[in-house]
Amino acid sequence: SATPPKIAIPGTFGEPKVVVVVKIAVVRGFLRKVGMRVHYLEVVSGDVAATCGALGRIHGLAFGAPDAGLGGARTAPLAGGGRLGVRASMHDQETPIMRPYVVVDDLAAAQTTAETTGADVLMPATPIPGHGRFAIYQQGGIEHGLWAAPVLAADADSSAAVLQYVEVVSSDAEATRATVAALHEVEFDADPQPALGTARTAPLEPRGRLGVRAPMSAHD
């Protein structure tokens, strides 16, 4: 298989993080038939207008009006039928974050699985009228979203953003991989990828990869 490209990842000074690289180009060595699907990629920003403006210009996206059901997020299409949403913090304790919500068939069972693998459930299964149901768990300092939603037709819009690589830098990479594998029935590559900071990766629909790795330095 093809060797993955080196990807520049900005540091966040010691905090665990999720970094999402959005690309339109396809890295053919990473195409897989089965993988996780991100239904909603949530960005909580200190400057919604600037964030939407930058994403729109860089990736050719058109963001809609605020959606009250999604906390006032402005959304744009993701390849595969999902949405990218950008919103402001909803309360003083909510800090900027990027949180992918991965589709599961049975949200209650997924929440139980997360708990049995040692994760902390921050938000139990909660309905959002017109959008489906979601939950949030935390492991290794990272927040992960789960989503039970209606089956959507693949978005054929050429302007939809493609999630090429989702990087999870976890303080407990082994436990995080085990939880993700159990929840979404995916297999991580046995061999670490040196070009991706020794991350071990799993397939992400429609054409990307999800990588989980440990911090590479005290500032990672």
Side-chain angles (χ1 to χ4, degrees):
S1 61
T3 301
K6 293 185 178 180
I7 300 174
I9 302 297
T12 55
F13 304 102
E15 292 297 323
K17 64 180 181 295
V18 173
V19 177
V20 176
V21 179
V22 181
K23 294 184 177 179
I24 301 302
V26 177
V27 179
R28 298 193 180 277
F30 290 91
L31 294 179
R32 295 290 180 90
K33 294 182 179 179
V34 178
M36 296 171 285
R37 180 165 65 88
V38 174
H39 178 76
Y40 187 55
L41 178 59
E42 181 176 44
V43 177
V44 179
S45 171
D47 191 332
V48 172
T51 300
C52 290
L55 290 170
R57 288 191 297 273
I58 293 169
H59 304 293
L61 301 176
F63 284 86
D67 185 330
L70 297 173
R74 294 179 59 196
T75 69
L78 287 176
R83 306 295 293 177
L84 164 66
V86 181
R87 66 171 175 83
S89 299
M90 297 176 68
H91 52 79
D92 292 341
Q93 281 68 48
E94 185 175 35
T95 57
I97 192 171
M98 181 176 284
R99 184 190 299 117
Y101 293 81
V102 179
V103 172
V104 292
D105 293 329
D106 187 328
L107 187 57
Q111 180 178 313
T112 299
T113 298
E115 292 174 320
T116 59
T117 58
D120 296 320
V121 175
L122 303 182
M123 176 69 74
T126 302
I128 301 179
H131 292 285
R133 296 162 59 241
F134 78 99
I136 300 171
Y137 71 92
Q138 185 178 57
Q139 192 166 50
I142 294 294
E143 293 186 14
H144 304 256
L146 304 171
W147 202 289
V151 176
L152 299 176
D155 195 329
D157 185 353
S158 61
S159 66
V162 175
L163 293 180
Q164 186 69 44
Y165 187 62
V166 174
E167 180 182 62
V168 177
V169 180
S170 172
S171 61
D172 192 338
E174 184 174 352
T176 298
R177 282 191 293 266
T179 298
V180 170
L183 283 171
H184 305 295
E185 298 181 351
V186 294
E187 292 186 5
F188 282 84
D189 292 334
D191 298 325
Q193 300 289 329
L196 296 175
T198 69
R200 290 174 55 193
T201 71
L204 183 71
E205 294 183 0
R207 61 193 66 175
R209 303 293 290 177
L210 179 138
V212 179
R213 66 171 176 84
M216 296 175 66
S217 68
H219 300 291
D220 190 7

